[in-house]
């Protein structure tokens, strides 16, 4: 177990940089990466951090410095990774519904690309033949994930080429002599059951014989991390063992070595992040005691969008008697960050810490209600470093034409 960032450090960050504020703990990211490497030590596995979870350049650069490669979901994420000085050979591009020009641009930048439709595969074949390797994202028809919005591998999902269309895939590969080097699936996020990955592996190992150039199987991201106290995440050691066993058996049977790729986003950064917020208003009605804070769904959308639970702590009154609160944001629609939470008495002015805010927190923030996006701070080697300043009104106006 890795301990949470100590309250005095978080409080110091809030005092120094103001709230709302995102704080990330570098050491936690490193710990998560090391745990992955350890869990998969018995097989040839490569990790690509799914940058979409948190794309701050300092985070990308830090993840790169750990030895982890980067998975991008848009051409701009690629450009951010390059800006963070990640080598193009360490960048993967897994996209969907994009214009083919983005793929051409990614190839020009020297990045490895996955295509996710027959249409893109055909265009890729026509344009590049076998001059540039490519990966294919398949839709495995596996229903999994914490929420339908983040389930991506099921039979009515828009993602990937349905496995039923394998014949068409093979026909395109053969007509354009396409050099397919990886097969990819990503079944969804928050997949607790390691067996879902095993199901995906079995499916891919059943068809990989038809892809003689494939040297790696990409199983995407989606490892579950605990959000509730004492909740269990994906059992990484079980998964690591299953991967080693399945691929070893396959190798013994066929003589073919297949590397395994993963694209973890949440697993690396989720628990490293805290959204700090100040309580502005206490309000009571017949049924509830509200604590109104200086953030909202504009800065952490997960509770309202996915009904996600984020644990909340009162940093500045930890020893007070416990009471029940509903923590609400300051946005002009219902933005409950935590309902009916038992926690030490909250006073106006207290600083609350919303946990598990590293992944898809800042990254999904908006300027709704013309509120300014928070600053981001990285706690590393014992010091707090501002890695993104707070937005200003000027930032909001900057892209608008003058009146
Ligand atoms: N690879 C692909 C192709 C993906 O689409 C995703 C996430 C990942 C990897 C990383 O998944 P992770 O390890 O982070 O679960 N905003 C949602 C999660 C959406 C994930 C979209 N794709 C949330 O806040 O739960």
């Amino acid at each position: 177990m890795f301990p949470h960032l100590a309250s005095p450090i978080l409080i110091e960050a809030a005092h120094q940089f103001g709230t709302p504020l995102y704080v990330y703990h570098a050491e936690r990211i490193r710990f998560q990466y090391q745990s992955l490497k350890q869990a998969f030590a018995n097989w040839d596995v490569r990790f690509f951090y799914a940058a979409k979870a948190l794309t701050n350049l300092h985070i990308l650069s830090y993840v790169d410095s750990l030895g982890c490669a980067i998975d991008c979901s848009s051409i701009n994420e690629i450009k951010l990774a390059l800006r963070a000085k990640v080598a193009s050979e360490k960048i993967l591009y897994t996209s969907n519904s994009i214009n083919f020009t983005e793929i051409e641009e990614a190839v020009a930048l020297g990045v490895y690309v996955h295509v996710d439709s027959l249409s893109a595969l055909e265009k890729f074949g026509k344009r590049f033949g076998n001059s540039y390797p490519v990966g294919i994202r398949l839709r495995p028809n596996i229903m999994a994930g914490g929420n339908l919005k983040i389930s991506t591998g099921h039979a009515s999902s828009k993602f990937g080429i349905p496995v039923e269309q394998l014949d068409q895939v093979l026909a395109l590969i053969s007509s354009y002599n396409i050099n397919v080097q990886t097969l990819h699936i990503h079944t969804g996020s928050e997949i607790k059951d390691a067996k879902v990955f095993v199901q995906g592996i079995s499916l891919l190992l059943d068809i990989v014989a038809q892809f003689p150039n494939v040297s790696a199987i990409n199983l995407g991201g989606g490892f579950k991390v605990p959000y509730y106290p004492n909740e269990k995440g994906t059992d990484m050691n079980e998964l690591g063992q299953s991967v080693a066993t399945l691929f070893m058996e396959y190798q013994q049977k066929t003589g073919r070595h297949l590397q395994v790729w993963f694209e973890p986003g949440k697993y690396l950064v989720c628990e490293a992040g805290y959204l700090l917020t100040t309580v502005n208003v206490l309000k009571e009605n017949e049924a509830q005691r509200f604590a109104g804070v200086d953030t909202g769904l504009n800065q952490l959308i997960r509770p309202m969008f996915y009904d996600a639970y984020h644990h909340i702590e009162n940093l500045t009154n930890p020893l007070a008697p416990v009471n029940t609160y509903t923590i609400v944001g300051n946005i002009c629609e219902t933005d409950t960050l935590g309902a009916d939470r038992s926690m030490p008495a909250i006073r106006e002015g207290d600083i609350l810490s919303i946990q598990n805010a590293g992944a898809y927190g800042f990254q999904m923030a908006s300027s709704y209600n013309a509120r300014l996006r928070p600053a981001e701070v990285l706690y590393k080697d014992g010091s707090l470093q501002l890695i993104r300043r707070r937005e200003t009104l000027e930032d909001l106006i900057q892209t608008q034409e003058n009146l």
Side-chain angles (χ1 to χ4, degrees):
M1 268 301 284
F2 193 93
H4 276 294
L5 197 46
S7 299
I9 297 169
L10 292 172
I11 294 169
E12 166 61 23
H15 286 156
Q16 210 175 320
F17 303 99
T19 63
L21 182 74
Y22 274 96
V23 179
Y24 311 116
H25 190 188
E27 192 55 31
R28 181 67 194 256
I29 300 176
R30 199 179 75 85
F31 172 82
Q32 295 296 115
Y33 182 59
Q34 295 307 336
S35 332
L36 276 185
K37 295 227 315 185
Q38 219 173 335
F40 292 91
N42 293 333
W43 193 250
D44 178 12
V45 176
R46 221 179 148 196
F47 300 100
F48 297 78
Y49 164 57
K52 72 195 80 181
L54 179 58
T55 56
N56 188 295
L57 294 178
H58 295 259
I59 299 294
L60 296 178
S61 165
Y62 181 68
V63 169
D64 179 46
S65 77
L66 299 175
C68 187
I70 308 284
D71 170 52
C72 297
S73 65
S74 74
I75 192 73
N76 288 334
E77 282 185 3
I78 294 174
K79 290 176 184 171
L80 289 176
L82 292 170
R83 198 67 86 86
K85 302 211 165 33
V86 179
S88 57
E89 310 84 68
K90 284 180 74 183
I91 302 178
L92 195 63
Y93 184 27
T94 311
S95 58
N96 70 92
S97 301
I98 53 162
N99 191 287
F100 189 69
T101 51
E102 269 200 31
I103 291 182
E104 289 179 311
E105 207 178 339
V107 168
L109 292 169
V111 164
Y112 187 79
V113 174
H114 288 117
V115 291
D116 126 306
S117 65
L118 288 172
S119 156
L121 183 62
E122 177 155 32
K123 288 175 190 146
F124 196 94
K126 278 190 183 146
R127 174 75 176 76
F128 299 109
N130 75 347
S131 68
Y132 200 86
V134 70
I136 297 182
R137 177 170 183 174
L138 295 167
R139 193 195 71 195
N141 301 339
I142 298 172
M143 175 56 102
N147 179 304
L148 192 55
K149 290 195 183 91
I150 52 175
S151 297
T152 51
H154 56 86
S156 48
S157 156
K158 69 164 182 170
F159 295 97
I161 304 176
V163 281
E164 298 83 357
Q165 295 174 4
L166 202 58
D167 287 350
Q168 293 171 67
V169 170
L170 294 170
L172 287 172
I173 293 175
S174 125
S175 23
Y176 297 104
N177 193 18
I178 304 170
N179 180 9
V180 176
Q181 292 197 349
T182 52
L183 294 180
H184 174 281
I185 54 171
H186 169 77
T187 31
S189 271
E190 296 188 25
I191 299 174
K192 183 170 173 200
D193 187 357
K195 291 184 187 62
V196 171
F197 290 93
V198 170
Q199 224 181 317
I201 294 169
S202 308
L203 183 140
L204 292 173
L205 291 182
D206 277 348
I207 60 173
V208 69
Q210 300 174 72
F211 297 85
N213 291 354
V214 163
S215 57
I217 295 291
N218 184 336
L219 298 167
F223 305 142
K224 170 151 183 58
V225 298
Y227 278 84
Y228 290 86
N230 305 320
E231 193 186 2
K232 292 262 176 294
T234 315
D235 184 335
M236 301 312 293
N237 291 324
E238 177 193 343
L239 181 55
Q241 213 34 60
S242 301
V243 163
T245 307
L246 289 167
F247 282 90
M248 177 61 79
E249 278 171 12
Y250 183 81
Q251 181 163 316
Q252 278 163 355
K253 212 165 58 190
T254 62
R256 186 171 179 189
H257 178 76
L258 291 169
Q259 193 176 57
V260 173
W261 293 1
F262 282 108
E263 303 166 347
K266 260 181 205 184
Y267 190 83
L268 290 177
V269 297
C270 186
E271 293 156 283
Y274 303 82
L275 173 56
L276 305 184
T277 182
T278 302
V279 179
N280 283 332
V281 173
L282 289 175
K283 186 192 276 187
E284 286 191 32
N285 67 15
E286 309 65 36
Q288 263 155 325
R289 188 177 293 111
F290 292 108
V293 297
D294 68 355
T295 184
L297 65 74
N298 53 337
Q299 298 175 350
L300 182 68
I301 201 172
R302 302 193 74 263
M304 292 311 291
F305 198 41
Y306 306 116
D307 292 324
Y309 177 94
H310 282 256
H311 196 62
I312 303 178
E313 295 215 323
N314 185 351
L315 295 178
T316 43
N317 203 19
L319 302 175
V322 168
N323 222 328
T324 304
Y325 298 89
T326 290
I327 321 292
V328 292
N330 57 6
I331 288 301
C332 66
E333 55 185 282
T334 301
D335 59 343
T336 305
L337 295 161
D340 297 326
R341 299 292 178 89
S342 292
M343 56 199 298
I346 295 180
R347 304 161 301 183
E348 292 186 358
D350 273 335
I351 298 166
L352 308 186
S353 163
I354 307 179
Q355 298 180 352
N356 280 55
Y360 310 104
F362 182 92
Q363 220 46 61
M364 293 177 81
S366 73
S367 59
Y368 187 37
N369 281 194
R371 297 242 168 239
L372 307 170
R373 267 170 283 234
E376 293 178 290
V377 164
L378 182 63
Y379 181 71
K380 184 164 162 263
D381 302 328
S383 65
L384 293 160
Q385 184 196 356
L386 186 68
I387 58 171
R388 184 194 300 265
R389 66 159 171 79
R390 190 174 301 286
E391 243 173 15
T392 62
L393 187 62
E394 273 316 300
D395 292 324
L396 291 191
I397 298 168
Q398 214 172 45
T399 50
Q400 303 185 38
E401 297 296 336
N402 285 332
L403 273 182

